[in-house]
């Protein structure tokens, strides 16, 4: 499943990923946005725990949503800088699997702790996890700082080189002077008559801005569209599926929650999907388009779940599992496509992306699209089911996925 932690909190997450992505590109140490996000999560959880007014609960959820967006975007950028291109897809797969495991087990653990330990038991677990998370963010090693340290020359070596250059200036070697003069003469002869020295930077490219360069690529629009559309599809079931199994099968609240397990379990295959992306990077767009095309008949076949029978119950669980497989095989290639797109833009526009590149910004914008879909999905799914029924909702969600598969084939590299 697509990483839903930032977008699970609705509106505050729809803009904050892009904002914190820009900040992450500018900040030298990633511990700063990481620790800021963890602190915001702690404050938001404390408000939910102790507040008695609905306004404070809303503020707490806003803080949690914004903090989750900051942590997710910074974490994705950290993965890109840590892992090489031939292992990035598998790393993204493990990240997605861990995210889905947390979002799946969290409500279950919270319900059990609340039932057997009382009101404060779930919050004790939450604050304990926040404390562990805070410690891990402090001890994390930023690969950007490590690479810059490795690239620095030892001070003694630098002094020796400077001393040698000064010695050569005072005591020139005739042979070296002859080579230097011939090299300069060759450079002058090899240049065309209208040759001008290239500028050290490209101010026009810098003035264009990161946003303009990102959206100059059609791949960016396709990525945002796929993120938005898949988010709409998945979150539509959040509002519709519990009501559907209640009305059709007469299931209670416990069974209504467990029906999401078949949709989540296939995400254990995310690392496998990432391995395929790393092993055959040229097939990335075919893997993405195949997953989108395969989701179309799965969604359409949900119209055949109509009766309170064992056959229909098994069919619904099987279709949800197949849908989870399709989405699980879709996320790693999309995530790697973002990184590949940024690398291509940097290669075509050298100097346009200043310090830190723009990877975090690209991931932040894409997750903003996913968060916007998570807001639209529940309303759209519920509206279509109430007005037109379950069968119409299934094929209405399926058609745009098929169109997206064609766009992926045309524009992905």
């Amino acid at each position: 499943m697509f990483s839903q932690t930032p977008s699970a909190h609705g509106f505050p997450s729809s803009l904050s990923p892009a904002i914190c992505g820009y900040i992450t590109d500018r900040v030298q140490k990633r511990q700063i946005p990481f620790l800021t996000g963890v602190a915001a999560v702690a404050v938001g959880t404390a408000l939910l725990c102790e507040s008695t007014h609905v306004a404070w609960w809303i503020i707490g959820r806003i803080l949690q949503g914004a903090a989750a967006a900051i942590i997710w975007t910074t974490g994705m950028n950290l993965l890109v800088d840590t892992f090489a291109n031939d292992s990035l897809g598998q790393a993204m797969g493990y990240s997605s699997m861990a995210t889905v495991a947390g979002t799946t087990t969290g409500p279950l653990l919270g319900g059990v702790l609340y039932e057997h330990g009382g009101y404060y038991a779930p919050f004790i677990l939450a604050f304990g996890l926040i404390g562990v998370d805070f410690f891990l963010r402090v001890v994390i090693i930023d690969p950007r700082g490590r690479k810059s340290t490795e690239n620095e020359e030892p001070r003694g070596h630098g002094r020796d080189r400077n001393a040698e250059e000064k010695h050569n200036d005072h005591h020139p070697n005739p042979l070296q002077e002859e080579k230097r003069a011939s090299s300069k003469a060759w450079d002058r002869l090899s240049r065309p008559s209208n040759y001008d020295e290239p500028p050290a930077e490209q101010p026009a490219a810098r003035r264009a801005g990161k946003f303009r360069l990102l959206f100059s690529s059609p791949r960016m629009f396709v990525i945002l569209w796929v993120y938005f559309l898949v988010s709409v599809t998945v979150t539509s079931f959040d509002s519709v599926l519990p009501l559907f199994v209640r009305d059709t099968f007469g299931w209670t609240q416990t069974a209504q929650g467990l029906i999401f397990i078949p949709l989540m379990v296939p995400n254990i295959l995310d690392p496998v999907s990432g391995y395929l992306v790393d092993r055959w990077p040229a097939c990335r767009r075919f893997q993405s388009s195949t997953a989108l095309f395969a989701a179309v008949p799965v969604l359409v076949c949900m119209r055949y779940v109509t009766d309170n029978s064992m056959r229909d119950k098994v069919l619904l669980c099987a279709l949800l599992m197949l849908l989870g497989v399709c989405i699980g095989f879709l996320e790693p290639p999309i995530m790697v496509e973002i990184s590949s797109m940024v690398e291509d833009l940097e290669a075509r526009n050298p100097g346009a992306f200043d310090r830190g590149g723009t990877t975090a910004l690209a991931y932040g914008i894409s997750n903003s699209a996913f968060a916007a879909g998570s807001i639209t999905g529940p309303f759209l799914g519920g509206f279509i089911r109430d007005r037109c029924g379950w069968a119409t909702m299934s094929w209405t969600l399926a058609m745009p996925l098929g169109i997206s598969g064609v766009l992926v084939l045309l524009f992905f590299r």
Side-chain angles (χ1 to χ4, degrees):
M1 191 75 60
F2 273 66
S3 303
Q4 299 179 50
T5 304
S7 55
H9 304 289
F11 179 74
S13 303
S14 61
L15 295 178
S16 53
I19 298 173
C20 75
Y22 177 79
I23 295 174
T24 302
D25 285 330
R26 306 294 299 180
V27 173
Q28 288 290 335
K29 292 184 177 296
R30 288 204 182 90
Q31 281 86 350
I32 296 176
F34 269 140
L35 296 179
T36 302
V38 175
V41 169
V43 174
T45 306
L47 289 176
L48 293 175
C49 178
E50 294 296 335
S51 299
T52 57
H53 195 277
V54 66
W56 290 109
W57 291 341
I58 295 174
I59 295 174
R61 293 298 286 171
I62 290 175
L63 288 175
Q64 286 184 332
I70 294 173
I71 294 173
W72 185 90
T73 305
T74 310
M76 290 298 102
N77 196 24
L78 182 64
L79 285 179
V80 172
D81 288 344
T82 303
F83 292 91
N85 289 336
D86 57 353
S87 59
L88 181 60
Q90 194 170 6
M92 294 293 184
Y94 280 112
S95 174
S96 175
M97 183 180 66
T99 302
V100 174
T103 55
T104 305
T105 57
L108 297 177
L109 286 176
V112 172
L113 290 174
Y114 180 81
E115 183 177 356
H116 298 282
Y119 174 78
Y120 287 102
F123 290 101
I124 293 174
L125 175 63
F127 284 116
L129 293 176
I130 291 173
V132 174
D133 193 8
F134 184 86
F135 172 76
L136 294 177
R137 308 294 179 182
V138 171
V139 301
I140 196 173
I141 299 176
D142 194 333
R144 293 188 300 188
R146 182 177 59 190
K147 291 178 182 178
S148 61
T149 303
E150 292 175 353
N151 293 333
E152 290 179 355
E153 289 184 335
R155 294 185 178 180
H157 179 72
R159 287 196 298 266
D160 294 341
R161 177 179 294 180
N162 293 333
E164 183 179 353
E165 291 177 354
K166 290 180 180 179
H167 176 77
N168 293 335
D169 292 339
H170 291 290
H171 304 282
N173 189 337
L175 182 60
Q176 292 180 353
E177 290 295 322
E178 183 179 355
K179 290 182 178 180
R180 188 180 302 174
S182 62
S183 176
K184 292 181 179 179
W186 173 255
D187 289 341
R188 288 194 298 269
L189 292 174
S190 61
R191 293 175 184 173
S193 58
N194 58 349
Y195 178 83
D196 292 327
E197 289 289 342
E201 294 181 349
Q202 296 182 359
R206 286 186 179 275
R207 286 195 298 267
K210 293 183 177 182
F211 282 94
R212 181 177 176 183
L213 286 173
L214 283 176
F215 286 100
S216 66
S217 174
R219 297 161 68 185
M220 188 66 184
F221 289 98
V222 176
I223 289 171
L224 295 181
W225 169 252
V226 172
Y227 258 92
F228 174 80
L229 192 60
V230 175
S231 175
V232 169
T233 303
V234 173
T235 56
S236 294
F237 288 97
D238 291 346
S239 61
V240 172
L241 194 57
L243 300 177
F244 176 76
V245 296
R246 183 199 64 182
D247 299 338
T248 305
F249 304 144
W251 286 359
T252 60
Q253 292 181 348
T254 302
Q256 294 172 20
L258 295 176
I259 191 59
F260 288 97
I261 292 180
L263 190 61
M264 302 295 183
V265 167
N267 287 274
I268 62 176
L269 299 175
D270 283 3
V272 178
S273 173
Y275 173 78
L276 295 177
V277 173
D278 297 332
R279 183 67 177 82
W280 295 283
C283 298
R284 185 168 62 237
R285 63 172 179 172
F286 298 106
Q287 180 177 334
S288 304
S289 59
T290 301
L292 289 168
F293 290 141
V296 174
V298 172
L299 286 170
V300 172
C301 288
M302 288 187 180
R303 64 185 295 118
Y304 299 113
V305 181
T306 56
D307 300 327
N308 186 11
S309 63
M310 182 58 65
R311 182 190 68 86
D312 285 8
K313 294 176 183 177
V314 174
L315 178 61
L316 178 61
C317 292
L319 292 174
L320 290 174
M321 184 170 293
L322 289 175
L323 182 61
V325 170
C326 294
I327 297 175
F329 272 86
L330 179 61
E331 179 176 11
I334 296 294
M335 303 295 291
V336 176
E337 180 69 19
I338 297 175
S339 177
S340 175
M341 179 198 66
V342 173
E343 291 180 358
D344 292 343
L345 290 175
E346 289 176 342
R348 292 200 302 266
N349 303 275
F353 298 137
D354 50 0
R355 180 185 63 195
T358 189
T359 305
L361 178 61
Y363 280 111
I365 295 173
S366 63
N367 198 63
S368 295
F370 188 88
S374 69
I375 299 174
T376 307
F379 291 102
L380 179 63
F383 176 80
I384 296 176
R385 182 179 179 267
D386 290 341
R387 293 297 182 92
C388 305
W390 168 262
T392 303
M393 188 203 75
S394 63
W395 66 258
T396 302
L397 296 176
M399 286 194 306
L401 293 178
I403 298 173
S404 301
V406 177
L407 295 176
V408 167
L409 282 177
L410 292 176
F411 292 101
F412 275 19
R413 300 290 178 85

